[in-house]
């Protein structure tokens, strides 16, 4: 509460809003008013109200009214008392009574009413109203009533008061801290300019921070560049705001330029919050040179680093494997009574272990008398990863004796032994774990299941899975994968499917290769329909279906005589973004042969070859046999060259089929071209092909009307001449 103002005669004209609306509870004095609003205290009783009226009747004086208003609990009663006094003859309100009622209205959030009372007080020219307005502004700001404070500020500027810049800065700082809209900050700044008051660096710092909050980073940087034009020099707070905001927006290079500005003008912030905010930022980006320079500036400024600064510095040094420097900082922390936390010890242990300085890491923990289990577990795991089990065993025994173990410590030992097929030793640690009253958790079950699976003991692994499931526990992803793979190897496909379905309900994704094995096992066992039902389940849990999974389904459908359904599976495969491989094409081609879809066969073969994929010999042989049988080799005319020239996948029998069929279908030039390739490979045409070639040659020779018989392209002579090279006989006509 501000000091009571002197009582003077004022105008008794009362605005209409004084009694136009009902109001609710409030207490005089900002804190008491706020507490009353939060506690929802009931309105003043009628008898209490009448008592206060009687007091005022006996001694109606502005100071008395101010005291009564101060002691009145609710806003409604306060307004009624204010109205009653205003209607009394020869009574005039003072600035003090206005202060009381405006304060109550403000703490109740009645912004519109505040504006009316403030303007009425100014209009009546109540003595000391200037100080009242400034006091109200201060109280509203300190109680986070910023809308009310803005209303009072507007009134202050209308009556041409010239408060000092600190008044504006207090409101600006509060607006920025409370993340209010930028328009409010801009309004205050404009009021400063209109009042002819020069902003100082605190003013501009608030403006810059507000611009960043409004996502107007470039405008904020422009304000920074213009500081000198406004007679201001950036301070540590300026650099803290700009550097922090630029880093948060990924504009690291610009942040480094601003930091260079700070070094250039020799600005040395002398308060810890700057370094506690900026140093960790650059440590997280591993800017070691920058961090070291900032650390030196901090020391020069006589600022003592706190635990967060030490922790960030040590982590950065450990990332760069500068372990001697990091350990020195830990020693400095201990010397200055700054207690290192677990993160500091973890950083040191991780760095030493990465350098394979395992013995030094153990000595460090002993030297610092670390009692936390986390760094010990990290060291224990690093030793096991290095393969030195005896050292890990000794460390664990030491931890156990000093009571520095937890369930993770036990799990680390058990998991290592299970991963290395030492299940018997793992079970010994499990027994000790149970005797020590340490409960088994999901990690323990996961490790044991992996151990059983690596030894092929699927039944025991499956029993543990069901035991954990009954306790609503979950395995890790590796254990689920190991269990499914083990069950597939043992041909326990139905059990493997159940495990996959369960893990899928928890949104655990299985490796696509392993999912393909599961699908292959189902389809090979005759459960193709069930395999198809697994596809949406796999999609739900994020398991990527590999081509092998779809191939297994299509192969299963083909074996079931449902080749016509393959295109539905193929459509799903394309929708899922799964690329067709050579096996996919081969399965579809064989299916189209069974369905007699010659045009689709030709199209599929062309697509396959254009993607650089080759059909296997079985598929190609069936395809050619089918086309030859139906005299439709011409349908793959465009693919023949790729088959015999580029990919060279055709054997001698297929060459004979192609030559025979092409000759029968009238494509002698193509047959000649293929024969040349066949002869170059050292293969001799079979008897039937040879007879066709000779017959074709004779027919061409007797056709004297054909001008092509005199050319070098005479098919019969070319074929016969080629044959004559290989069996010692002269086949030339």
């Amino acid at each position: 509460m501000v000091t009571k103002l002197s009582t003077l005669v004022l105008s008794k004209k009362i605005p209409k809003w004084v009694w136009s609306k009902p109001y609710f509870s409030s207490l005089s004095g900002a804190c008491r008013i706020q507490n009353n609003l939060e506690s929802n205290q009931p309105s003043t009783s009628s008898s209490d109200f009448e008592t206060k009226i009687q007091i005022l009747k006996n001694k109606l004086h502005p100071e008395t009214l101010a005291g009564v208003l101060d002691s009145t609990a609710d806003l409604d009663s306060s307004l009624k008392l204010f109205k009653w006094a205003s209607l009394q003859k020869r009574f005039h309100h003072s600035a003090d009574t206005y202060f009381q009622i405006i304060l109550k209205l403000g703490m109740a959030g009645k912004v519109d009413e505040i504006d009316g009372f403030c303007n009425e007080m100014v209009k009546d020219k109540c003595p000391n109203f200037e100080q009242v307005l400034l006091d109200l502004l201060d109280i509203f700001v300190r109680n986070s009533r910023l809308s009310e404070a803005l209303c009072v500020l507007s009134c202050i500027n209308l009556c041409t008061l010239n408060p000092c810049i600190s008044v504006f800065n207090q409101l600006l700082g509060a607006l920025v801290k409370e993340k209010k809209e930028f328009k409010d900050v801009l309004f205050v700044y404009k009021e400063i300019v209109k009042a002819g008051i020069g902003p100082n660096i605190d003013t501009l710092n608030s403006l810059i921070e507000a611009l960043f909050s409004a996502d107007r980073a470039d405008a904020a940087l422009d304000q920074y560049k213009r500081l000198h034009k406004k007679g201001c020099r950036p301070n540590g707070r300026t650099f803290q705001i700009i550097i922090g905001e630029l880093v948060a927006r990924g504009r690291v290079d610009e942040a480094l330029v601003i930091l260079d500005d700070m070094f250039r003008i020799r600005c040395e912030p002398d308060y810890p919050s700057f370094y506690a905010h900026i140093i960790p930022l650059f440590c997280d980006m591993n800017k070691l040179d920058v961090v070291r320079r900032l650390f030196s500036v901090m020391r020069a400024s006589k600022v003592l680093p706190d635990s967060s600064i030490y922790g960030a510095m040590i982590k950065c040094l450990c990332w760069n494997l500068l372990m001697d420097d990091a350990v020195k900082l830990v020693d400095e922390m201990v010397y200055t009574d700054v207690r290192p936390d677990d993160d500091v010890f973890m950083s040191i242990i991780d760095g030493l272990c990465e350098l394979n300085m395992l013995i030094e890491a153990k000595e460090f923990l002993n030297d610092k008398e670390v009692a936390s289990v986390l760094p010990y577990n990290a060291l224990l795991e690093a030793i096991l990863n290095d393969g030195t089990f005896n050292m890990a065993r000794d460390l664990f025994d030491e931890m156990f004796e000093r009571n520095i173990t937890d369930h993770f410590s036990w799990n680390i030992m058990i998991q290592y032994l299970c991963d290395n097929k030492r299940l018997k030793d793992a079970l010994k640690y499990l027994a000790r774990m149970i005797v020590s009253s340490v409960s088994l958790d999901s990690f323990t079950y996961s490790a044991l299941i992996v151990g059983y699976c690596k030894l092929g003991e699927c039944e025991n692994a499956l029993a543990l899975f069901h035991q954990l499931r009954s306790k609503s526990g979950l395995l890790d992803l590796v254990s689920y994968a190991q269990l499914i793979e083990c069950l597939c190897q043992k041909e326990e496909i139905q059990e493997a499917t159940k495990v996959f379905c369960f893990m899928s309900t928890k949104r655990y994704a299985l490796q696509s290769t392993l999912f393909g094995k599961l699908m292959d096992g189902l389809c090979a066992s005759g459960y193709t329909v069930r395999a198809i039902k697994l596809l949406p389940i796999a999609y739900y849990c994020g398991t990527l279906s590999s081509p092998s999974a779809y191939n297994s389904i299509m192969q299963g459908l083909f074996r079931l005589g449902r080749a016509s359904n393959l295109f539905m599976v193929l459509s799903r495969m394309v929708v899922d973004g799964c690329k067709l491989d050579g096996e996919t094409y081969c399965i579809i081609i064989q299916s189209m042969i069974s369905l007699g879809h010659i045009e689709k066969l030709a199209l599929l073969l062309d697509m396959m070859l254009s993607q650089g994929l080759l059909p296997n010999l079985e598929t190609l042989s069936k395809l050619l046999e089918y086309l030859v049988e139906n005299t439709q080799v011409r349908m793959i005319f465009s693919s023949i060259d790729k088959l015999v020239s580029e990919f060279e996948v055709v054997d001698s029998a297929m060459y004979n089929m192609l030559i025979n069929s092409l000759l029968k279908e009238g494509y002698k030039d193509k047959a000649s071209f293929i024969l040349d390739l066949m002869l170059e490979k050292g293969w001799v045409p079979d008897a039937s092909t040879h007879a066709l070639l000779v017959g074709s040659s004779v027919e061409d020779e007797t056709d004297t009307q054909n001008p092509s018989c005199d050319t070098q392209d005479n098919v019969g002579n070319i074929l016969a001449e080629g044959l004559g090279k290989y069996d010692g006989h002269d086949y030339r006509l």
Side-chain angles (χ1 to χ4, degrees):
M1 178 63 66
V2 298
T3 306
K4 297 291 185 178
L5 301 174
S6 60
T7 305
L8 294 173
V9 178
L10 303 172
S11 169
K12 63 178 181 180
K13 180 182 177 182
I14 302 300
K16 293 180 180 179
W17 59 79
V18 173
W19 57 85
S20 59
K21 297 180 182 178
Y23 298 96
F24 298 95
S25 60
S26 174
L27 288 173
S28 66
C31 294
R32 284 185 292 152
I33 292 173
Q34 186 66 30
N35 291 337
N36 182 57
L37 288 171
E38 293 174 355
S39 64
N40 198 24
Q41 184 171 329
S43 301
T44 304
S45 64
S46 58
S47 59
D48 187 36
F49 179 77
E50 292 299 331
T51 301
K52 291 182 177 180
I53 290 291
Q54 190 60 45
I55 292 173
L56 293 174
K57 284 181 179 179
N58 295 334
K59 188 180 179 182
L60 184 55
H61 190 276
E63 187 172 345
T64 306
L65 176 60
V68 171
L69 290 173
D70 186 33
S71 63
T72 302
D74 64 288
L75 181 59
D76 186 40
S77 297
S78 298
L79 285 169
K80 288 179 180 180
L81 290 170
F82 193 90
K83 169 192 171 183
W84 179 88
S86 302
L87 296 175
Q88 305 308 306
K89 293 181 180 180
R90 295 186 298 277
F91 179 81
H92 301 280
H93 284 288
S94 68
D96 200 7
T97 57
Y98 273 111
F99 171 84
Q100 292 291 340
I101 199 66
I102 293 171
L103 178 61
K104 288 178 178 290
L105 288 166
M107 298 308 293
K110 307 297 182 179
V111 179
D112 294 337
E113 288 82 350
I114 288 175
D115 186 61
F117 277 101
C118 286
N119 289 333
E120 188 65 23
M121 179 175 63
V122 173
K123 182 180 178 181
D124 290 345
K125 297 182 180 179
C126 297
N128 292 329
F129 76 87
E130 300 94 338
Q131 188 60 45
V132 166
L133 290 174
L134 293 175
D135 288 341
L136 286 168
L137 179 63
D138 177 66
I139 291 173
F140 288 148
V141 170
R142 286 190 284 108
N143 286 275
S144 297
R145 293 287 179 177
L146 302 184
S147 297
E148 293 77 3
L150 288 170
C151 183
V152 174
L153 178 66
S154 179
C155 186
I156 288 174
N157 286 336
L158 286 175
C159 59
T160 65
L161 289 179
N162 288 317
C164 62
I165 190 63
S166 61
V167 174
F168 292 100
N169 288 344
Q170 182 187 17
L171 178 55
L172 275 175
L175 289 169
V176 173
K177 182 179 179 181
E178 295 292 329
K179 303 293 183 184
K180 295 298 182 180
E181 293 185 40
F182 179 69
K183 65 181 181 63
D184 294 331
V185 176
L186 189 59
F187 166 75
V188 177
Y189 188 75
K190 286 182 177 180
E191 293 300 317
I192 295 173
V193 175
K194 285 193 294 185
I197 302 172
N200 61 15
I201 189 60
D202 294 330
T203 315
L204 297 173
N205 282 345
S206 295
L207 179 61
I208 290 171
E209 188 171 3
L211 285 167
F212 274 116
S213 297
D215 202 21
R216 299 174 62 177
D218 291 334
L221 290 174
D222 185 57
Q223 286 293 327
Y224 164 72
K225 294 173 184 176
R226 294 164 55 192
L227 286 178
H228 67 282
K229 293 183 180 180
K230 298 179 181 181
C232 295
R233 178 184 174 87
N235 59 12
R237 177 62 182 158
T238 313
F239 291 111
Q240 179 178 341
I241 293 168
I242 297 176
I243 293 172
E245 293 288 350
L246 288 175
V247 170
R249 286 164 172 75
R251 300 169 66 167
V252 179
D253 292 338
E254 292 174 272
L256 291 172
V257 171
I258 301 296
L259 186 62
D260 285 338
D261 287 348
M262 189 187 86
F263 293 141
R264 178 175 51 79
I265 67 173
R266 299 185 183 278
C267 174
E268 297 182 356
D270 57 357
Y271 52 95
S273 63
F274 171 84
Y275 301 99
H277 180 64
I278 299 300
I279 287 179
L281 284 178
F282 286 107
C283 285
D284 290 341
M285 294 184 290
N286 200 21
K287 300 289 185 181
L288 184 60
D289 293 340
V290 175
V291 170
R292 280 182 156 171
R293 191 171 181 183
L294 281 170
F295 203 73
S296 299
V297 173
M298 181 187 66
R299 290 191 185 281
S301 302
K302 307 300 182 184
V303 176
L304 296 178
D306 59 12
S307 59
S308 66
I309 297 175
Y310 273 122
M313 282 291 300
I314 291 170
K315 181 185 294 186
C316 189
L317 290 168
C318 291
W319 281 346
N320 292 276
L321 301 180
L322 300 173
M323 301 313 301
D324 290 341
D325 294 339
V327 172
K328 286 178 182 178
L329 279 184
V330 174
D331 293 336
E332 183 180 314
M333 289 181 73
V334 175
Y335 180 77
T336 56
D337 292 328
V338 179
R339 182 178 178 82
D341 57 19
D342 287 344
D343 288 339
V344 170
F345 291 127
M346 289 291 290
S347 296
I348 297 292
I349 296 302
D350 288 342
L352 291 173
C353 291
E354 188 170 347
L355 293 172
N356 203 32
M357 299 172 66
L358 303 177
I359 297 176
E360 290 82 354
K362 183 178 180 181
E363 291 175 350
F364 172 82
L365 292 177
N366 291 334
D367 180 57
K368 298 298 180 288
E369 298 180 351
V370 177
S372 173
V373 69
L374 291 177
Y376 274 101
N377 283 344
L379 177 58
L380 184 65
E381 198 165 10
I383 294 173
L384 289 172
N385 290 336
D386 189 56
T388 50
F389 177 76
N390 291 337
M391 182 179 177
R393 179 194 59 204
D394 294 341
L395 176 62
F396 180 85
D397 291 341
E398 180 182 333
M399 292 166 60
F400 184 76
E401 291 175 3
R402 295 176 55 191
N403 196 26
I404 313 179
T405 57
D406 59 6
H407 59 283
F408 286 113
S409 312
W410 293 96
N411 287 335
I412 290 169
M413 297 296 292
I414 292 172
Q415 182 177 7
Y416 172 82
L417 293 168
C418 289
D419 286 343
N420 288 275
K421 299 182 180 181
R422 297 175 59 178
L423 184 60
K424 290 183 179 179
D425 293 331
L427 293 176
K428 292 178 182 178
Y429 275 93
L430 179 66
R432 289 178 59 189
M433 181 179 179
I434 296 172
V435 171
S436 302
S437 301
V438 180
S439 301
L440 280 66
D441 59 12
S442 296
F443 293 104
T444 316
Y445 279 95
S446 295
L448 293 171
I449 286 173
V450 169
Y452 279 117
C453 288
K454 283 183 176 291
L455 296 177
E457 299 182 24
C458 293
E459 292 183 1
N460 291 329
L462 194 60
L464 284 175
F465 164 72
H466 289 302
Q467 185 179 344
L468 180 63
R469 183 178 176 182
S470 66
K471 299 178 181 179
S472 301
L474 295 174
L475 299 175
D476 59 29
L477 185 56
V478 173
S479 303
Y480 279 121
Q482 285 276 1
L483 180 56
I484 291 174
E485 185 172 18
C486 183
L487 290 169
C488 287
Q489 290 173 351
K490 297 293 183 179
E491 298 185 354
E492 297 286 344
I493 303 300
Q494 296 298 326
E495 292 296 337
T497 304
K498 291 177 183 178
V499 174
F500 172 74
C501 290
F502 176 76
M503 68 177 284
S504 298
T505 61
K506 309 303 178 183
R507 305 299 289 265
Y508 280 20
L510 190 64
Q511 292 178 350
S512 59
T513 53
L514 186 52
F515 180 67
K517 290 182 180 179
L518 176 61
M519 299 292 276
D520 183 59
L522 279 171
C523 295
S525 303
Y527 296 101
T528 303
V529 175
R530 186 168 186 184
I532 294 174
K533 292 180 179 179
L534 288 185
L535 291 176
I537 297 176
Y539 180 82
Y540 168 78
C541 69
T543 297
L544 298 177
S545 299
S546 63
S548 63
Y550 285 101
N551 292 342
S552 298
I553 292 175
M554 288 190 282
Q555 191 69 54
L557 289 172
F558 181 62
R559 285 196 295 263
L560 293 173
R562 298 173 60 178
S564 58
N565 297 132
L566 260 62
F567 279 105
M568 289 189 293
V569 179
L570 184 63
S571 299
R572 176 62 183 266
M573 186 176 182
V574 174
V575 170
D576 287 349
C578 190
K579 191 174 181 180
L580 281 66
D581 62 6
E583 185 181 355
T584 311
Y585 279 108
C586 288
I587 295 170
I588 299 174
I589 288 173
Q590 292 191 42
S591 300
M592 294 304 101
I593 292 173
S594 67
L595 295 173
H597 295 170
I598 296 177
E599 292 183 358
K600 291 180 180 178
L601 279 172
L603 178 62
L604 286 168
L605 181 62
D606 188 61
M607 290 173 58
M608 184 179 187
L609 295 176
S610 65
Q611 295 177 24
L613 301 174
L614 306 176
N616 55 44
L617 289 178
E618 178 187 359
T619 302
L620 184 58
S621 178
K622 288 182 178 180
L623 172 61
L624 293 178
E625 288 174 1
Y626 177 77
L627 294 174
V628 168
E629 181 181 345
N630 291 274
T631 320
Q632 296 290 331
V633 174
R634 63 181 180 276
M635 296 298 294
I636 62 167
F637 207 80
S638 61
S639 301
I640 290 176
D641 289 343
K642 294 180 181 179
L643 287 171
V644 299
S645 300
E646 296 182 27
F647 299 118
E648 300 182 353
V649 294
V650 181
D651 59 16
S652 61
M654 294 179 188
Y655 270 108
N656 283 307
M657 279 194 293
L658 285 172
I659 295 171
N660 268 283
S661 184
L662 288 170
L663 287 173
K664 289 179 180 179
E665 294 181 32
Y667 295 97
K668 298 176 182 179
D669 291 343
K670 197 70 172 179
S672 173
F673 169 73
I674 294 174
L675 177 63
D676 286 342
L677 294 176
M678 182 179 183
L679 296 176
E680 287 176 5
K681 292 180 178 292
W683 292 336
V684 179
D686 59 20
S688 61
T689 304
H690 177 247
L692 277 174
L693 291 169
V694 173
S696 176
S697 176
V698 172
E699 181 182 348
D700 288 342
E701 191 67 26
T702 58
D703 189 3
T704 58
Q705 300 301 320
N706 189 343
S708 63
C709 66
D710 296 328
T711 67
Q712 204 171 14
D713 293 330
N714 184 290
V715 177
N717 280 333
I718 292 174
L719 300 182
E721 184 176 357
L723 288 172
K725 298 176 183 179
Y726 293 97
D727 62 1
H729 294 84
D730 188 3
Y731 292 95
R732 288 172 291 183
L733 300 176

